[in-house]
Amino acid sequence: MKFLGNVLATLVGLFVFFMICFFGLLLIGALFSSGEEKVTVKNNSVIELDLSQIKYDYAGKTNFKDFDYFNTDHDGLSDVLKAIEYAKSDSKIKGISIINNVSDLGIAQTKALRDQLEDFKKSGKFVYSYSNAYSQKEYYLNSVANSIYINPIGELDFKGLSAEIMFYKDFEEKSGLKMEVIRHGKYKSAVEPFLENKMSDANREQTTQLLNSIWGSVITDIAKSRKISTARLNQIADGLLARTPEMAKAEGLVDKIAYEDVYHNDIRKVLQVSEDEDYNIVDIKDYAEDVATSNIDLSSNDVIAVIYAQGEIGSGEGDVNEIGEGSMRRSLQEARKNKNVKAIVLRINSPGGNALTSELIWREIELTKKVKPIVVSMGDYAASGGYYIACNANKIYAEANTITGSIGVFGILPNFTEAIKKIGINVEQVKTNPNASEYSPFKPLDDNYRGFAQEGVEKIYGVFVKRVADGRKLTTTQVDAIGQGRVWSGQDALKIGLVDKIGGMDEAIKEAAKLGKTSKYHTQDFPEYEKEFGDILSKFGLAQSKESIIKETVGEQNFEILKHIKQMTTQKGVQARMAYELKIK
């Protein structure tokens, strides 16, 4: 037995030794990966705008505490925008090519990129676009190009915007799986699917106005680029008059019907490269990496801190796709205490989430604002909790098609009383005091507990309204009238005083510099996320996350449905969350 024990101990020791060696080599590779050869940008080059892996405004900085390893990614939309800005004056870059572009960017992000491309064209350099099939959102981006090409057997989607909402009330009654809802706000349609089997008049009203406002801003931009009136663009959408390449060209939405080889030959002609030669192409991610690491202007000590709040508002540390109080409060404190930071831009792209976390971030902003100015820049969403953390800034900028407002709160409690009865399960309770058991999903929601829960929701709604009223210099009555959970486009939010100006990040940064009384400065991005050992494994592909396994098994669309159901059934505490997720194509 002793012999076998020694053999086993030896095997375990060898296993541990090899694992330590393996991870040691991995870490060495990670630490020195920055020494890899950088992409060389050649003369007479064209940037290929591949956005397939660009999703977030901010790609993130991560400090892996266990190994004192710090990693910075440069594949966020903010890096792409900076790269295009730099390319205007880069003599090696002659133009930008967009080929069969597909992206996960939202409509306001697309607007920001489109504006940057419009500005790039002012340098006299070209932007060309080619696609086998243009989705509506991708056409919105590509319509900025000097020349738009489409495959002879391709198609163009141009039909206007729509939103679809699924209702569960009948399913709840049939299955016994019920959601108990406590809310404030007649427009708080995040919970309406659990209460009704059709859309309420209030929800239909706000959704119609929102879509019309966003569509109006989209076709205004297209009209300017393509020199087609908005009235005609609406007629084209109404009749689907651009559904074939020939129809799209006849209506002026595209310039040339051709195969991709013709497109490349036309670019060769502009570059004065012979048809049998390859022209120089640099991927936007590589170019952004090069710009970010070798073209930083540090000639001034003055800094504008740009703090990114993106994703749903949760708790804990947070990361690139979730806002947590840990990283947000730490970032605000660091910027506040740094004497070189003259002002802060808070970039918000969030539909909201946990009300308590929103309040904690609001408080940190309030403390910071007493020391230095804060300007908010809104992305695709800055709604509900996303608006909560914006409302006390010195100035608020939004895109015309930003979705904001949604000043309202709710609580949701899953109840399975009827469901377990159907399968023969009964639950009994024993307690020392009337409220000792709080809420059980296996017992009917009693009026006493509902009253306490409603009281909590009303209290948080009252605080939310007061925060907005104080921050925007409105009365609580005025805020309540435009609140009640109603969502607004950035353009409409401007009219009712929820935002100050329509504009993107550049305008917000300039305003921050003005308020911070500096004219020569550079920007510094936050947050720096703090992660543990387990995260580094998944980052380098050694451990597949639970999310990626499920997504691979059930597919992308089914995963999104499962994720939404999980979010609705596992939310803790009162929620300051936007009505619904609106994906525009």
Side-chain angles (χ1 to χ4, degrees):
M1 290 295 292
K2 186 176 180 181
F3 171 75
L4 290 174
N6 289 336
V7 171
L8 182 60
T10 302
L11 290 174
V12 171
L14 286 170
F15 175 76
V16 172
F17 171 75
F18 284 120
M19 288 298 290
I20 291 172
C21 289
F22 175 74
F23 288 122
L25 289 171
L26 170 70
L27 266 177
I28 291 169
L31 290 168
F32 292 99
S33 61
S34 58
E36 291 175 0
E37 186 178 347
K38 297 172 80 171
V39 172
T40 302
V41 180
K42 300 176 182 178
N43 289 324
N44 213 28
S45 289
V46 174
I47 293 174
E48 189 169 289
L49 197 66
D50 179 3
L51 303 171
S52 58
Q53 296 180 50
I54 309 297
K55 184 176 182 180
Y56 302 111
D57 286 333
Y58 175 55
K61 301 175 184 176
T62 307
N63 177 25
F64 294 97
K65 296 185 293 183
D66 307 57
F67 299 99
D68 194 25
Y69 168 58
F70 190 81
N71 179 70
T72 302
D73 290 319
H74 296 292
D75 55 359
L77 179 61
S78 60
D79 299 293
V80 169
L81 297 177
K82 290 173 186 174
I84 295 173
E85 170 66 25
Y86 183 80
K88 280 171 48 182
S89 56
D90 187 345
S91 60
K92 295 179 180 180
I93 299 298
K94 302 303 179 184
I96 294 175
S97 170
I98 315 173
I99 302 180
N100 289 318
N101 180 60
V102 177
S103 80
D104 288 326
L105 297 178
I107 193 69
Q109 289 175 311
T110 302
K111 161 72 172 170
L113 180 56
R114 196 181 187 283
D115 287 347
Q116 193 69 65
L117 290 170
E118 189 73 69
D119 185 63
F120 174 83
K121 289 182 352 186
K122 293 176 182 177
S123 66
K125 302 177 181 184
F126 67 83
V127 176
Y128 275 19
S129 159
Y130 178 90
S131 185
N132 294 323
Y134 288 102
S135 71
Q136 190 161 245
K137 187 186 71 175
E138 303 309 339
Y139 180 74
Y140 173 51
L141 173 65
N142 285 261
S143 64
V144 75
N146 301 91
S147 279
I148 303 175
Y149 292 64
I150 190 170
N151 188 292
I153 57 171
E155 58 185 27
L156 191 152
D157 186 27
F158 193 79
K159 60 183 183 298
L161 306 181
S162 67
E164 189 174 82
I165 302 173
M166 191 176 291
F167 292 84
Y168 310 109
K169 184 181 179 183
D170 291 346
F171 169 78
E172 289 179 287
E173 292 176 355
K174 291 177 181 178
S175 67
L177 302 172
K178 186 180 180 182
M179 296 295 169
E180 297 285 2
V181 173
I182 299 97
R183 65 171 175 171
H184 182 105
K186 64 180 180 179
Y187 291 101
K188 205 67 194 173
S189 51
V191 293
E192 187 176 271
F194 299 109
L195 301 172
E196 308 290 343
N197 57 17
K198 64 178 182 178
M199 187 180 287
S200 66
D201 291 341
N203 193 8
R204 186 173 294 278
E205 174 194 348
Q206 70 162 348
T207 305
T208 300
Q209 183 170 337
L210 178 68
L211 291 178
N212 282 330
S213 181
I214 294 173
W215 178 244
S217 69
V218 167
I219 61 172
T220 296
D221 286 342
I222 295 174
K224 182 179 177 182
S225 294
R226 300 303 300 171
K227 296 179 174 54
I228 306 170
S229 71
T230 57
R232 183 55 188 166
L233 286 172
N234 271 319
Q235 290 173 348
I236 294 169
D238 291 344
L240 300 179
L241 303 181
R243 61 187 183 272
T244 68
E246 292 75 19
M247 295 172 77
K249 187 172 186 297
E251 294 292 348
L253 268 63
V254 302
D255 298 296
K256 196 165 184 177
I257 301 170
Y259 289 102
E260 190 177 328
D261 58 288
V262 175
Y263 171 79
H264 289 298
N265 282 335
D266 285 356
I267 290 179
R268 287 187 180 94
K269 290 175 185 176
V270 175
L271 299 174
Q272 297 182 337
V273 173
S274 63
E275 287 191 14
D276 58 350
E277 280 186 74
D278 291 331
Y279 60 90
N280 300 321
I281 296 174
V282 57
D283 183 80
I284 186 62
K285 286 179 64 179
D286 293 330
Y287 189 72
E289 176 81 22
D290 182 65
V291 168
T293 56
S294 60
N295 294 286
I296 302 173
D297 182 8
L298 299 176
S299 58
S300 171
N301 289 328
D302 289 357
V303 175
I304 302 298
V306 181
I307 302 176
Y308 291 87
Q310 54 192 27
E312 295 206 3
I313 300 174
S315 57
E317 172 66 12
D319 54 30
V320 291
N321 56 21
E322 183 176 61
I323 301 167
E325 73 266 22
S327 57
M328 288 300 299
R329 294 174 71 187
R330 189 171 61 251
S331 297
L332 286 160
Q333 290 166 10
E334 288 178 13
R336 183 167 77 227
K337 294 172 183 176
N338 187 337
K339 65 179 182 180
N340 290 330
V341 173
K342 303 305 177 184
I344 297 166
V345 172
L346 181 62
R347 172 67 172 186
I348 301 174
N349 200 343
S350 172
N354 187 277
L356 174 58
T357 303
S358 302
E359 170 72 8
L360 294 175
I361 296 171
W362 173 91
R363 174 60 179 169
E364 206 64 58
I365 292 170
E366 192 71 6
L367 293 173
T368 304
K369 194 176 68 170
K370 293 176 182 178
V371 179
K372 50 196 66 174
I374 298 179
V375 177
V376 161
S377 169
M378 293 180 170
D380 292 316
Y381 297 94
S384 210
Y387 190 78
Y388 199 128
I389 64 175
C391 67
N392 59 333
N394 297 88
K395 285 285 177 71
I396 300 177
Y397 282 73
E399 297 284 10
N401 45 26
T402 293
I403 297 174
T404 189
S406 192
I407 301 165
V409 296
F410 68 88
I412 188 166
L413 303 166
N415 193 282
F416 311 126
T417 305
E418 294 302 319
I420 64 172
K421 280 182 182 178
K422 292 182 179 183
I423 58 175
I425 298 175
N426 182 44
V427 175
E428 296 290 341
Q429 292 180 338
V430 178
K431 49 193 175 184
T432 60
N433 298 84
N435 298 304
S437 62
E438 292 191 321
Y439 174 75
S440 169
F442 305 111
K443 303 293 285 185
L445 178 63
D446 63 68
D447 292 339
N448 195 39
Y449 187 86
R450 181 181 287 277
F452 291 136
Q454 188 68 47
E455 182 182 286
V457 165
E458 296 297 338
K459 179 182 178 181
I460 292 175
Y461 179 73
V463 172
F464 194 171
V465 167
K466 188 175 188 311
R467 298 287 183 247
V468 176
D470 292 345
R472 301 305 300 162
K473 296 179 174 55
L474 300 168
T475 66
T476 55
T477 302
Q478 288 174 313
V479 175
D480 186 53
I482 58 178
Q484 301 282 329
R486 179 163 184 168
V487 292
W488 304 89
S489 70
Q491 191 68 59
D492 288 336
L494 177 66
K495 298 173 186 175
I496 59 176
L498 290 179
V499 306
D500 295 299
K501 290 186 178 180
I502 299 299
M505 273 279 284
D506 285 347
E507 289 84 356
I509 290 172
K510 288 173 184 175
E511 179 67 22
K514 179 182 175 183
L515 294 176
K517 298 178 180 178
T518 178
S519 58
K520 191 172 177 57
Y521 57 87
H522 65 274
T523 60
Q524 183 177 346
D525 292 341
F526 294 88
E528 294 176 359
Y529 303 107
E530 295 185 348
K531 297 295 181 182
E532 306 292 343
F533 172 70
D535 301 298
I536 203 168
L537 296 181
S538 59
K539 179 173 179 61
F540 291 100
L542 294 176
Q544 198 175 11
S545 68
K546 179 173 68 174
E547 177 178 310
S548 63
I549 292 171
I550 297 172
K551 191 180 293 185
E552 186 177 295
T553 304
V554 303
E556 184 84 30
Q557 288 184 321
N558 291 330
F559 174 77
E560 291 300 321
I561 294 170
L562 289 172
K563 186 171 74 171
H564 180 68
I565 293 171
K566 181 183 177 183
Q567 287 168 350
M568 298 304 292
T569 57
T570 61
Q571 290 161 7
K572 294 181 180 179
V574 177
Q575 300 291 306
R577 186 180 298 271
M578 197 213 142
Y580 51 82
E581 183 178 7
L582 184 66
K583 289 194 174 182
I584 298 172
K585 297 182 178 179

